[in-house]
Amino acid sequence: MPAADLLSRLVMRPALDFALPPRCPGCGAVTADPHRFCLGCWSQLAFLGDPCCAQCALPFDYDAGPDAVCGGCLAHPPRFDRLRAAVTYGEIPRAVALKLKYGRPGVAETMARFMVRHIGAQADAILVPVPLHRWRIWRRGYNQAALIAGALARQAGLEARLDLIARIRRTPPLKEMSPRERREVLRGAFKVPAYRKAEVKGRAFILVDDVYTSGATANGCARALKRAGAERVDVVTWARVVKNADH
């Protein structure tokens, strides 16, 4: 870096930090560096990982082995091959997800920094976000899952194809619906367009979303990819709902 550029950055950085200091993604408190949580918010995050269900990442109380599957996945096998999430859904992860959804697109970079550890050594996998219907994108201005996928692509060195899956049917909000109702509402809502199927056949994909709740959305997208010829579909999300979680 030229000496003049370095000097300019050293002079300007304190002024920029004063005008726009880094803030906690959870509560907005000023922090030392970007994408860092304050101590209070950090202490409320419950990070997910092993031991857990090999398919849906449901936490286990003890290690039952790398291939152990929970009762829910045994009874109703998911369409995807493997899901992993950065944190348990709770007050702080919810606040972060809402900031991304309603006007803070930079939070996608923060989420991706915590999600990237779950990508693994999948050099040939393609990142693909859960799609929004075109009318919802028009109203919001962006797809939050696509922003996360783009950030993950930069951090993991993978390719992202942001419009590979189409949401062909507009659906109502799922928040108050039961898992069964969600499955019915989302049935047939996702599709890989015929002219894109050649990009899918025989490939491995990592589906990206902000929150995993009942699995209806992830399963719907995975089903569309598998029908188009995908060999494998994993899922990675910022947060996962865990019943009876302390956070």
Side-chain angles (χ1 to χ4, degrees):
M1 178 183 293
D5 290 346
L6 177 59
L7 179 61
S8 176
R9 293 193 179 194
L10 290 174
V11 171
M12 291 299 295
R13 176 63 187 269
L16 290 173
D17 286 349
F18 179 79
L20 299 170
R23 294 188 176 274
C24 171
C27 69
V30 174
T31 56
D33 297 295
H35 309 295
R36 284 195 178 185
F37 289 89
C38 69
L39 181 60
C41 289
W42 179 266
S43 65
Q44 295 184 60
L45 296 176
F47 293 95
L48 291 174
D50 294 330
C52 66
C53 172
Q55 283 193 283
C56 77
L58 181 72
F60 288 161
D61 292 331
Y62 59 91
D63 190 352
D67 299 321
V69 177
C70 71
C73 287
L74 286 173
H76 304 286
R79 296 286 182 166
F80 53 80
D81 295 280
R82 177 182 182 268
L83 178 138
R84 290 295 181 267
V87 295
T88 298
Y89 187 76
E91 181 180 349
I92 300 304
R94 177 179 180 273
V96 174
L98 288 176
K99 285 180 180 180
L100 175 61
K101 188 175 290 187
Y102 299 115
R104 291 278 300 279
V107 176
E109 185 76 21
T110 304
M111 291 177 165
R113 290 187 178 209
F114 288 91
M115 295 163 62
V116 71
R117 66 188 174 97
H118 290 304
I119 295 297
Q122 303 186 60
D124 296 329
I126 298 172
L127 293 161
V128 56
V130 167
L132 285 180
H133 189 270
R134 62 182 182 276
W135 287 111
R136 190 162 295 177
I137 293 178
W138 180 80
R139 290 175 58 190
R140 186 175 300 167
Y142 57 87
N143 176 3
Q144 70 273 13
L147 293 180
I148 301 172
L152 277 171
R154 292 189 294 273
Q155 294 180 30
L158 296 178
E159 180 184 358
R161 298 185 187 176
L162 305 183
D163 59 350
L164 195 58
I165 307 173
R167 195 164 192 145
I168 59 176
R169 185 160 52 80
R170 192 177 182 183
T171 56
L174 306 177
K175 185 177 179 180
E176 303 300 329
M177 296 184 185
S178 68
R180 184 173 184 176
E181 290 172 332
R182 292 181 183 219
R183 289 194 298 270
E184 290 300 320
V185 165
L186 291 172
R187 190 179 300 277
F190 304 103
K191 184 179 181 180
V192 174
Y195 70 93
R196 305 295 299 271
K197 288 184 177 180
E199 303 174 49
V200 176
K201 189 174 182 180
R203 302 295 300 271
F205 294 88
I206 301 175
L207 186 69
V208 179
D209 204 2
D210 53 356
V211 178
Y212 178 89
T213 305
S214 68
T217 300
N219 278 304
C221 291
R223 182 185 296 109
L225 287 168
K226 291 281 183 83
R227 284 179 174 174
E231 180 178 341
R232 181 180 177 89
V233 180
D234 290 350
V235 184
V236 63
T237 70
W238 156 242
R240 186 203 194 285
V241 172
V242 178
K243 292 182 179 180
N244 301 320
D246 294 331
H247 294 266

